[in-house]
Amino acid sequence: MAAIGFIGLGNMGGPMAANLVKAGHKVVAFDLVEGLRNQAKSDGATVAESATAAVEGAEVVITMLPAGKHVLAVWSDVVPAMTKGALIIDCSTIDVQSAKQAHALAAKHGIGSVDAPVSGGTGGAKAATLTFMCGGDEISFAAAKPVLEKMGKKIVHCGGAGAGQAAKICNNMILAVSMIAVGEAFTLAEKLGLSHQALFDVASTSSGQCWALTSYCPVPGPVPASPANNDYKPGFASALMVKDLTLAQDAAHASGAATPLGRHAQEIYRAFDAAGHGGVDFSGIINHIRSLAGK
Ligand code: NAD
């Protein structure tokens, strides 16, 4: 079992590191927050006092951090301290450009690298059912896969450096646009006197069918496990959706792609976030849509 250094023990990284311990890996963990280091210790990891100490002698290093600047700062510190031939995997959601820079940094030091952002949220992190979207060369991906399988159920090799991040932001742009569309459809149905269940029964088996409707329905009732039944507690917070839509817009500008609905979805989620709802599950956007009536 590979010795693993794990840096970033937040909502996602904490349970992911715990699953690696459960699978039998020796995990040395670090976070800036003392309480999170203590939690990792009680989950069975060894706690390091710095990021560089966490990677000493590790065969695989994993980072799970907020944004590109954090990843580049941590990788600049730890990559030179890693054993030659070891592997570093970043599971954070970051911009494609920073991901490519991080890969180049690793290559310069003879370290294999994979960008492997995830889908599945905190529930998936706890249950080890995440989907990993991976970018990197074949050899690095092959080395990363058995480790990622301890934290997820689907591991997809999307292409070279940065391809995992590209897949993540494209997927989440689809998700945001489709959630808004589903929210608009239920809002219109309410005005037309059509029940939630009737719309669900028709659309979930018709051409309007999509994940935002069938697995994550934004009204209480039809899908009992969706956050709509739990006062829109996340789940996947709207602030994180704003982050991913902004990464998608930045990538669209940089690459010259036209994404008019992606841009509009970013504006809608930004307004929801600015109104103080950043901590609400992203399916709560239906309440924002209702509030626009007559405006
Ligand atoms: P979080 O803020 O809970 O955790 C990030 C952790 O990184 C924090 O504990 C912070 O202290 C730590 N950190 C920051 N700088 C550090 C440094 N220099 N050294 C060590 N630790 C450092 O965030 P999260 O919800 O766990 O998300 C992590 C990443 O996963 C983000 O990029 C996010 O976009 C992505 N993501 C989150 C979700 C979700 O549902 N929460 C879902 C998919 C993807």
Side-chain angles (χ1 to χ4, degrees), residues 69-183:
K69 63 180 181 187
H70 306 95
V71 173
L72 286 174
V74 168
W75 280 40
S76 300
D77 279 348
V78 304
V79 165
M82 287 174 64
T83 313
K84 292 277 166 291
L87 173 72
I88 185 162
I89 307 169
D90 179 45
C91 295
S92 329
T93 303
I94 68 171
D95 60 289
V96 176
Q97 199 51 38
S98 297
K100 287 183 177 169
Q101 279 176 34
H103 278 277
L105 180 74
K108 203 172 110 191
H109 290 272
I111 303 291
S113 56
V114 174
D115 55 291
V118 305
S119 171
T122 51
K126 283 183 195 131
T129 56
L130 293 168
T131 294
F132 287 90
M133 303 153 234
C134 303
D137 61 45
E138 291 286 352
I139 293 173
S140 300
F141 175 72
K145 196 169 179 237
V147 175
L148 299 177
E149 279 168 346
K150 309 286 173 18
M151 302 180 286
K153 68 172 184 337
K154 188 157 188 202
I155 324 295
V156 184
H157 192 194
C158 300
Q165 298 296 346
K168 168 78 185 174
I169 55 175
C170 289
N171 177 71
N172 278 19
M173 189 171 74
I174 296 172
L175 177 62
V177 170
S178 57
M179 183 55 81
I180 292 167
V182 171

Side-chain angles (χ1 to χ4, degrees), residues 7-13 30-33 36 64-67 70 74 91-93 118 121-122 168 235-236 240 243-244:
I7 302 161
L9 304 167
N11 294 320
M12 297 293 290
F30 177 71
D31 194 287
L32 295 174
V33 177
L36 296 174
M64 191 48 160
L65 299 164
H70 306 95
V74 168
C91 295
S92 329
T93 303
V118 305
T122 51
K168 168 78 185 174
F236 186 59
L240 284 172
K243 172 190 169 181
D244 292 0

